[in-house]
Structures are given as structure tokens and as C-alpha cells.
Amino acid sequence: MISKISAGAIYSVLGNNSSLIPLGIKDVANSCGLTAASYIAGDKVEGKDRFIDEFGTQAIWLGGIPTYKYLLDKFMFKPMKFDPKVDVRIFKDKNILEAAKEFAPTKEIKSSIEHAVLNQSKIKSLTLAKFVASTALTALTYFGLTKFRHKYTEKQITKDYMAKKNEQKRNAQFTGNHVPFSSAFSAVHKQVPAKTPSFTGGLQNFMFDPVKNLMIVDGVITGERLTHARNPQDFMGYVIKEGSFWLFMYGAGQMISNALEKHVEKKYNKSIDLDARVIESEELKEALQSGKLKEHLNAFKQADKSDVDIYKFVVNSENKNFVVDMAKKSDIIELLKDSDKVDTRRYIALGNDKSDDFSGLRGIAKKLEKLLNQYETSNQDTETFLKQVRKLKRGSVLKNIGACIGALGVIAPAIMLAVRKFGDNSDYQVKKDIETKLEQSV
């Protein structure tokens, strides 16, 4: 049986639309389905081509940007004595910047922030350069994979074709140069040609959100695949693959999540929009039972007079508050490694006080307050109330990722397979094109 702590971590990751892990899970399902469909529709050569394309691209897609950013941190930032963990977004508010220095957990971190402040233009330029370079290098690595894949597939088809031709010659010599009708017909058939920096707004979102950063790489990959498709069959396959990929990898997940959360709240009067690690935690149960949650929500509201006031309240290790603890658990506030102190080099999304904004730190407080109100009006004991909330949260996460996996791993490959099987040309067109060229060159 999964422990509550591990269950919270698992469902948190699976339900996080800004995490790369659920994207990776969906992509594995998509890659397996498409590879299997290629083996069914074509042969081993097509299956290998698809395998290299899907799983090679996946490795580059998920690992390229983090790897290149790590290398750029090592060879760009450190030689210039800049700390790559200093987030340039903390420069936007001078008061928050001063608080970040004041409440820095160590002298080294305070020094690194001060050094960055004295060289703001340089570190901003480096940050932008890292974003552009890591994205571009990942795209170039994909282009290299595509070139390798095309050459590898052509080499395999040529090898198989020449082996088959040599076998035909040996058979012809053995039988007194008699060519069977089926071989003659096949040869005639093969001769027929085939059918022919300021860090604001959108830029900030793409730079600091790993999923949105990947969208840029995916845009390049999609464009390359469609514009360099080897034939109409290849192009149609990519239209189906890329269309379903963009829909269920980036768009549908958040829409399904929002729809399920609204449905649950309307039907059961239970909010499940908090991070699963919060919902699954024993701390939440204790806070509801003891009345600590209401007390700490009030303390949080009293401290929230301005952005800098709530920021100081959060980063001051002497202030103990349940809302802040849950924000730490949800990764909105990042802690120094092996410590309970806030790493002030990192950016904290504060959110705002609009009633319809549930983002950032203030969003955590609003979600907890909403859950508290539902608990108080539910006439349920704490155990029963939280058991239902946890069950609904888990069900929502599983339904969401299950729907996306089903669409990407089963439905999209099935559509591609159906188009091939019931279309005018079910054979592997790339193979036919290469064999036609080889036949004409003999």
C-alpha cells in the first residue's frame, strides 16, 4: 500500500501541469503507440525509423534544455563569478530585493545576491542568453537526430534491397535464368515512380516555466517535421501525430483538470485544486481538527498589507505559519537544501489579492480558506471530510492523465493506422521511394 506521503508526492507530480514528468509519461505512451502502429502498418525498417524518431526525440525534448542549461551555468555563469541560482525576477521590486538580501539564509547567498545586483545588466543578458542558447541547441540536436535517422533508414533499406537482389540473381542462375512470374511482376511494379531583455509578460512565462520552454522546442520540431516530410504519407502521419500531441500534451490537460475541479466542487462541495501533497498531508488534518488553520489564515491576512510585507513575513524564519508551510510543500517557496530556511535567491510568486486569482502564495491562502469553509459547513468529521477530498483528488488526477494517455497512446496511433490501412497506399512510402531510386540506378 502506498504511504500517504508518497501518495501525495505521486499525485502532486501527476497533477502538476508545470512539471515535465507527466509530459514524459504522456510522451512515452504516445511513442509506444506510434511505434507499434508503424510495425503493424509497415515492417521492421519502418518500425525502427519510428522508434528512433519517437524515443530519440523524446530524450532530446525532455533532457536537452536541462542539460544545456547545466552546461551553460558551468561555463558561462561560474567563470564570471555569478551564481546561476539568483533569479533575475527578484530585481523587479527594490523593496523585495532588499528583503531578499536582509533575510538571506547564509552569508554566501547574501553575497551572491549583492554581486548580481551590482551587475544586473550582465546577469540579465546571461540569463536571456542561456534561455536562447539552451533552446536553440536542443533544436539543433533534434535536427542532428533527424539527419541521422534519415541516413540510417536509407542505409537499412538499401542493404535489404541489395540483399534481395543478390538472392534473386543467385536463384536465377540456379534455375537456368528462369524468372518466376511473381518476381517479374514485382520488378515491373518497382519501376513505376511513386506519387509525389526585460523579463515580463510572455517572455518571462516561456523562460521560467519548463513546460512553456519546451513548447518552443516543440514548435521547431513540428515545423521541421511538416516542412521536411519525405512524402505525402509522411506528411499526413505527422499532421495526425503533431495535432494530437499539441492538443493533449499542452491544451487538454489543463482544461480537463479545470473541468473536473469545477464538477467536483459543484457536486460534492469539495475543493480539490490544492496540491496533492497538501491534501494528503497529516498537517492539514491536524490544522482542521485543532482550529489552527483558521488562526493561521487570519495571521497571514494581517501580515499581507503589501507585497513586501507578505514577502518579509514568508522569508523570516522566525515566523511560523501553516499557509507558508503549505506553500513550501507546493514548491511555491523554495528552501535551501537540507534546511528549513527560504532560499531568497529564488523567485516567489506572490499572486495578487483579486478574488478570482488563485495563483501563487496568496492563491494557496485562498484555496485553504475555501476548503476550511467547506469543512465547517459539511457536518462531517475531519477524517471523513478529508478522506473524500483525497479520493476525489486522486480520481481527478488519474482521469486526467488517463484520458491524455489514451488519446496519445491509443486513439492517435489507431487513426494513423486506419488512414494507412484504408488509404490508397498502405505500404511504407519511404521504402518504396528509395527502392525506386535504386532500381533506376542499376
Side-chain angles (χ1 to χ4, degrees):
M1 182 177 178
I2 300 174
S3 69
K4 291 183 178 180
I5 294 176
S6 63
I10 291 169
Y11 286 102
S12 172
V13 169
L14 294 180
N16 185 355
N17 290 306
S18 292
S19 171
L20 299 184
I21 294 176
L23 291 186
I25 293 171
K26 294 174 190 177
D27 199 37
V28 166
N30 187 228
S31 297
C32 288
L34 292 172
T35 301
S38 293
Y39 272 104
I40 294 170
D43 55 19
K44 289 183 178 180
V45 173
E46 181 178 357
K48 286 181 181 179
D49 182 80
R50 177 68 69 177
F51 179 86
I52 294 170
D53 187 18
E54 294 300 327
F55 288 96
T57 300
Q58 182 183 102
I60 294 168
W61 178 63
L62 290 174
I65 289 176
T67 299
Y68 285 122
K69 282 187 174 179
Y70 169 80
L71 293 173
L72 291 168
D73 283 345
K74 189 172 182 179
F75 294 108
M76 282 176 55
F77 279 76
K78 291 187 178 180
M80 298 183 71
K81 302 189 184 304
F82 286 127
D83 185 347
K85 290 187 177 181
V86 175
D87 193 314
V88 295
R89 289 174 290 180
I90 67 173
F91 299 156
K92 291 191 293 184
D93 188 314
K94 291 181 179 180
N95 294 321
I96 287 179
L97 180 57
E98 288 303 314
K101 290 189 287 184
E102 179 185 351
F103 292 98
T106 66
K107 290 181 179 179
E108 292 76 16
I109 288 177
K110 182 178 181 180
S111 177
S112 68
I113 295 173
E114 289 174 338
H115 180 58
V117 171
L118 294 173
N119 298 275
Q120 284 192 42
S121 60
K122 286 183 180 180
I123 197 168
K124 284 180 178 180
S125 297
L126 282 175
T127 301
L128 180 59
K130 180 170 73 171
F131 162 69
V132 173
S134 61
T135 305
L137 287 168
T138 301
L140 287 172
T141 305
Y142 167 74
F143 292 151
L145 172 71
T146 301
K147 190 173 181 180
F148 163 79
R149 176 172 63 89
H150 287 177
K151 287 186 175 182
Y152 175 82
T153 300
E154 184 174 354
K155 183 179 178 180
Q156 290 297 112
I157 292 172
T158 301
K159 181 181 177 182
D160 292 346
Y161 176 83
M162 296 308 297
K164 185 169 67 174
K165 279 294 181 182
N166 290 333
E167 182 67 23
Q168 288 176 350
K169 287 180 181 179
R170 285 195 295 269
N171 290 338
Q173 291 171 355
F174 181 76
T175 57
N177 296 325
H178 172 70
V179 181
F181 174 76
S182 59
S183 297
F185 180 82
S186 176
V188 171
H189 175 71
K190 283 176 183 157
Q191 289 174 2
V192 178
K195 296 179 182 178
T196 49
S198 62
F199 302 97
T200 58
L203 177 62
Q204 175 178 297
N205 291 336
F206 281 98
M207 284 183 64
F208 298 104
D209 186 323
V211 172
K212 289 182 178 178
N213 199 167
L214 273 184
M215 289 175 72
I216 299 175
V217 177
D218 266 327
V220 173
I221 292 173
T222 298
E224 192 278 337
R225 282 174 165 171
L226 294 177
T227 55
H228 292 88
R230 291 169 287 190
N231 50 61
Q233 184 188 82
D234 217 23
F235 179 82
M236 181 54 66
Y238 281 133
V239 167
I240 298 170
K241 184 250 187 311
E242 295 300 314
S244 60
F245 184 92
W246 276 88
L247 176 60
F248 288 97
M249 193 65 72
Y250 295 119
Q254 186 63 60
M255 291 189 291
I256 294 171
S257 178
N258 293 339
L260 289 170
E261 287 170 1
K262 288 180 181 178
H263 170 74
V264 166
E265 189 166 352
K266 183 178 180 180
K267 185 174 181 179
Y268 300 100
N269 192 34
K270 301 285 192 301
S271 294
I272 58 170
D273 52 356
L274 280 161
D275 190 293
R277 287 168 293 184
V278 176
I279 291 175
E280 298 279 349
S281 69
E282 285 299 310
E283 294 96 323
L284 178 60
K285 180 180 176 181
E286 192 276 328
L288 287 171
Q289 282 179 329
S290 64
K292 173 182 171 184
L293 179 54
K294 179 177 282 189
E295 175 189 333
H296 283 242
L297 279 167
N298 289 333
F300 183 88
K301 288 179 182 179
Q302 289 175 3
D304 189 12
K305 296 181 177 64
S306 66
D307 282 355
V308 68
D309 286 327
I310 196 62
Y311 180 84
K312 287 181 177 180
F313 181 76
V314 166
V315 298
N316 189 344
S317 59
E318 294 180 3
N319 295 327
K320 302 299 180 183
N321 186 270
F322 181 79
V323 178
V324 175
D325 289 342
M326 294 304 101
K328 293 173 182 176
K329 195 177 284 289
S330 303
D331 295 331
I332 289 173
I333 300 170
E334 189 170 335
L335 300 178
L336 189 63
K337 188 176 180 181
D338 300 325
S339 168
D340 61 350
K341 295 182 179 181
V342 177
D343 187 346
T344 57
R345 294 171 296 180
R346 315 306 288 173
Y347 174 72
I348 300 174
L350 299 177
N352 59 51
D353 54 4
K354 291 181 180 179
S355 59
D356 60 345
D357 179 27
F358 287 82
S359 64
L361 174 65
R362 292 184 175 108
I364 290 287
K366 291 173 186 176
K367 291 174 185 178
L368 285 168
E369 185 173 27
K370 184 169 63 171
L371 190 67
L372 174 62
N373 292 334
Q374 291 167 347
Y375 168 69
E376 290 177 337
T377 58
S378 68
N379 294 320
Q380 293 178 317
D381 61 80
T382 312
E383 186 74 33
T384 303
F385 178 82
L386 279 180
K387 185 177 180 180
Q388 189 175 20
V389 171
R390 289 167 181 170
K391 183 179 179 180
L392 291 168
K393 178 68 175 182
R394 293 180 183 186
S396 172
V397 170
L398 293 176
K399 286 176 184 177
N400 189 346
I401 197 164
C404 292
I405 288 174
L408 290 168
V410 179
I411 296 175
I415 292 172
M416 291 178 67
L417 188 58
V419 169
R420 283 280 298 277
K421 288 297 183 182
F422 299 105
D424 295 334
N425 185 10
S426 62
D427 294 330
Y428 185 30
Q429 189 61 50
V430 171
K431 183 176 181 179
K432 290 177 67 177
D433 291 344
I434 293 172
E435 287 182 341
T436 298
K437 289 180 182 179
L438 290 170
E439 185 71 30
Q440 291 172 348
S441 66
V442 174

